[in-house]
Amino acid sequence: MKSFLRHAIIYVCAIAITLFAVSPFIWMILTSLKPQSEIYNYPLTYLPQELNLSGYQGMLDPHADDNANFLRWFWNTTLVSLLTTVLSLVVSALGGYAMSRFGFRGRMSIGYIILLTQMLPGSLLIIPLYMIMRDYQLLNSHFGLVIAYATFAIPFCTWMLKGYFDSVSKSIDEAASVDGANRWTTFVRVILPLTLPGLVVTGVFSFLTSWNEFMFAQTFISDYSKWTLSVGIASFQGQYVVNWDYMMAGSVITTLPIVIIFWVLQKHLVSGMTAGAVK
């Protein structure tokens, strides 16, 4: 009886925590299905009394006016996120492998500097980054946004991948060298496949950092056609009117790629996050 009661309490607590965690997303979906007039009803109604898909239709219409060209923002965000992820993985994989395998002077100091960069908030760096982008004429360009995002993603990914490379025995490098493989071949064909879970975790981190970022995108991008999703969705909040149906519909669609990524890569994510937990 005590065991049954203990399990029942655990399940009830788990269900309550899960409902609390997903309640904002449920509210977002329900609000996106309500007409604008019903959203402001008092008393509040949770379920939509009248099903309304105008928010989704306006967002996904390729011929929408300038107030709801969601597909253009979606493409901009996808492009910036993918480029940031690729750049971050390439640079951080090379840097992490070098810090893990090469015993050069100042290696630990570089590691501490990388950790120090993670303590600086983005708001502290936005002014110097803006001046750099201005001097190199990278303002209002997606490439400049990729560089800005990479400055945050690369240090974290480098430190994470160094830990994954450390978990791979150096005897594997030596065995590959005995078989005639040079350093580059060993890195690409032997070490990287062994650290695939770590690459997936750091790649997802880089992608999410770029996908959800708002402050840099709003500061560095001024052209409407080059907006990202976060800036575009925020534009539906005006001074006097907030288009909640459009904003919630856009938020639901924006969340779907992240859900799909986690669902597809969940095996690698779990193994990547628990790698090294048991030695």
Side-chain angles (χ1 to χ4, degrees):
M1 184 64 183
K2 291 183 179 179
S3 176
F4 172 78
L5 183 61
R6 182 172 64 253
H7 283 83
I9 294 175
I10 293 175
Y11 284 128
V12 169
C13 293
I15 293 173
I17 294 173
T18 302
L19 290 176
F20 178 78
V22 302
S23 58
F25 300 98
I26 297 176
W27 178 259
M28 180 174 65
I29 295 173
L30 294 177
T31 305
S32 68
L33 298 175
K34 294 180 180 180
Q36 185 77 0
S37 57
E38 187 180 337
I39 295 176
Y40 294 99
N41 277 356
Y42 184 82
L44 182 67
T45 57
Y46 294 96
L47 297 177
Q49 300 175 353
E50 177 185 350
L51 193 62
N52 175 57
L53 299 177
S54 61
Y56 293 95
Q57 293 171 353
M59 287 293 184
L60 299 177
D61 183 6
H63 304 293
D65 57 18
D66 287 344
N67 293 324
N69 204 335
F70 180 83
L71 295 179
R72 184 185 303 169
W73 305 334
F74 193 94
W75 164 249
N76 295 339
T77 306
T78 304
L79 177 64
V80 171
S81 300
L82 289 178
L83 290 178
T84 303
T85 302
V86 172
L87 177 62
S88 301
L89 283 180
V90 171
V91 176
S92 59
L94 294 173
Y97 183 74
M99 293 180 62
S100 174
R101 291 298 192 263
F102 301 150
F104 54 90
R105 180 178 297 180
R107 182 180 61 171
M108 295 306 299
S109 299
I110 294 177
Y112 293 140
I113 292 174
I114 290 175
L115 286 178
L116 181 63
T117 61
Q118 301 303 299
M119 302 178 186
L120 303 177
S123 57
L124 183 66
L125 301 177
I126 194 167
I127 294 178
L129 278 176
Y130 184 91
M131 297 175 66
I132 293 174
M133 298 295 175
R134 181 197 60 192
D135 294 340
Y136 285 93
Q137 299 181 355
L138 292 175
L139 288 177
N140 199 32
S141 71
H142 292 150
F143 181 72
L145 205 57
V146 169
I147 297 298
Y149 292 161
T151 59
F152 287 92
I154 288 177
F156 175 82
C157 294
T158 300
W159 186 259
M160 288 289 295
L161 288 178
K162 176 189 176 299
Y164 287 109
F165 291 136
D166 287 341
S167 66
V168 179
S169 175
K170 293 183 179 180
S171 60
I172 296 179
D173 299 60
E174 297 170 356
S177 178
V178 171
D179 289 338
N182 56 29
R183 179 70 72 174
W184 176 254
T185 303
T186 302
F187 171 68
V188 174
R189 304 187 62 177
V190 178
I191 303 300
L192 285 184
L194 294 176
T195 56
L196 181 60
L199 293 173
V200 171
V201 171
T202 52
V204 170
F205 169 81
S206 301
F207 188 87
L208 290 181
T209 301
S210 310
W211 188 270
N212 296 323
E213 206 281 327
F214 173 76
M215 182 174 59
F216 284 176
Q218 187 186 42
T219 304
F220 297 154
I221 302 296
S222 57
D223 215 355
Y224 166 84
S225 62
K226 298 180 180 179
W227 278 359
T228 58
L229 282 172
S230 56
V231 180
I233 293 176
S235 66
F236 293 111
Q237 182 176 357
Q239 182 176 2
Y240 301 106
V241 178
V242 179
N243 295 323
W244 288 110
D245 51 347
Y246 274 56
M247 186 179 293
M248 293 297 107
S251 300
V252 171
I253 300 173
T254 303
T255 306
L256 288 179
I258 306 302
V259 175
I260 294 173
I261 288 175
F262 272 91
W263 181 70
V264 173
L265 301 177
Q266 58 181 331
K267 177 181 177 181
H268 295 294
L269 287 172
V270 173
S271 58
M273 289 185 292
T274 57
V278 179
K279 187 174 181 181

